[in-house]
Every structure is written in structure tokens, then in C-alpha cells.
Amino acid sequence: MPSPIAHAAVGALISKAWPPGKRPPRRIGGVLPVTLVACVGLSLLPDLDAAVGIALGNLGRYHNNLAGSPAFGLGVALVAGSGARLVSAPAAPRAFLLTLVCYELHVLLDYLTVGRGVMLLWPLSAERFAPPIYLFYGLHWSDGLVSARHLVTVVTELAFVALIFAGVRWHTSRGSPAG
């Protein structure tokens, strides 16, 4: 699976691409836009099961299973939309959509990474699917916390982040309304 670097970068990109009129104007601590924090957090959410796996000493048993499936992401988005509806009915569709986009793009990045594949059809099937072409090398936790292979992941993902932000900068410099 990609490291948090790639997932957080995609979350930041979603925040930047989200229509300006649909972003909450608030900032956390007067500095960080709420949408940025929400998008990065939601983009990292599917890996919360990794913390459970690490705490219980069996990462493979807990990480990238049910929580890494599109159906689970849909369920999380439904919960987020329902929770937002309790606070503000007009915010519910935005909360649902933002959660769904962030979560499902995480699953897509996992799918495009060298590894054991993603359970795309769960709960109908526990079969794992892998793409014909990989975009990311991914983390290989079986090598331990410190590994030269992790360096390959970090370098390639930093290049991915640089490309994303260069693309955003180029797009916004052209006077795009999404800027």
C-alpha cells in the first residue's frame, strides 16, 4: 500500500479541487482550512486499521481487509452524511460526497500499488484484485520498520506529490475557477 505521503497528497488535492463555494470558510487555529484537514484526514482514514494491526502485533490480519474495500467506503460515507444531517441538513450531501471521494481514492491508490491486492467486491467476495499496471511500489512492512525498500517508496511518492502540486500550481496559474 502507498505510504501516508501519497494518501495525504491526494487528500490535499481533493481539498484544492473542491468547489470554492462548497468549502467551509472556517480555519482551524486560524491557519489550516477545515476542508484541507477534513480531506487529508478522510484520505488517511482507511489505514486506521493499520494502527489496530500494529497494536495487536499482526498487521496483515487487520490492515487492508474490509476497511480497504469500496463497499466499506460507501458505508463510511453514508455514516458521515447521516451525521452531518443531524448538524445541518444542507451539509449532508457535501459531507457524504467528500467522504466518498476521499475514501474511494484511497482504495484506488491501494489498488494501484504492488501488494496483495484489494477486495474490490467485498462483501460479495473476499477475492483480492490487482491491476495490470502498478503506479506505486508501496510499503513492505514484512521488511520491518526500517528498510531500504521503504526509501524507494518515499522517493517515488515524493515525486508523485511534486507532480500533483506542480499540476495544481500550473492549473491555478492559468486562472482556473477551481483555484
Side-chain angles (χ1 to χ4, degrees), residues 13 36 39 44 70 80 98 100 109 113 116 142 145 151 179:
L13 177 65
L36 174 64
C39 289
L44 295 170
L98 189 70
L100 186 67
L109 290 183
T113 304
R116 59 186 181 163
S142 58
L145 190 58
L151 184 59

Side-chain angles (χ1 to χ4, degrees), residues 70-165:
F72 197 90
L74 177 61
V76 170
L78 287 168
V79 169
S82 297
R85 184 173 180 79
L86 294 174
V87 176
S88 167
R94 288 189 304 245
F96 168 80
L97 187 59
L98 189 70
T99 303
L100 186 67
V101 168
C102 291
Y103 204 103
E104 300 303 359
L105 282 175
H106 180 111
V107 174
L108 177 63
L109 290 183
D110 283 357
Y111 173 73
L112 295 172
T113 304
V114 173
R116 59 186 181 163
V118 173
M119 294 176 11
L120 293 177
L121 299 178
W122 181 86
L124 303 174
S125 169
E127 183 179 355
R128 293 181 177 276
F129 294 88
I133 298 171
Y134 294 104
L135 181 61
F136 298 104
Y137 183 65
L139 294 171
H140 299 272
W141 293 112
S142 58
D143 290 355
L145 190 58
V146 178
S147 166
R149 292 199 314 171
H150 295 331
L151 184 59
V152 171
T153 297
V154 170
V155 169
T156 58
E157 289 184 15
L158 287 175
F160 172 74
V161 169
L163 285 173
I164 284 178
F165 284 99

Side-chain angles (χ1 to χ4, degrees), residues 11-20 23 35-36 39 165 168 172 178-179:
L13 177 65
I14 294 165
S15 168
K16 184 70 175 168
W18 205 251
R23 297 181 201 159
T35 306
L36 174 64
C39 289
F165 284 99
V168 167
T172 56

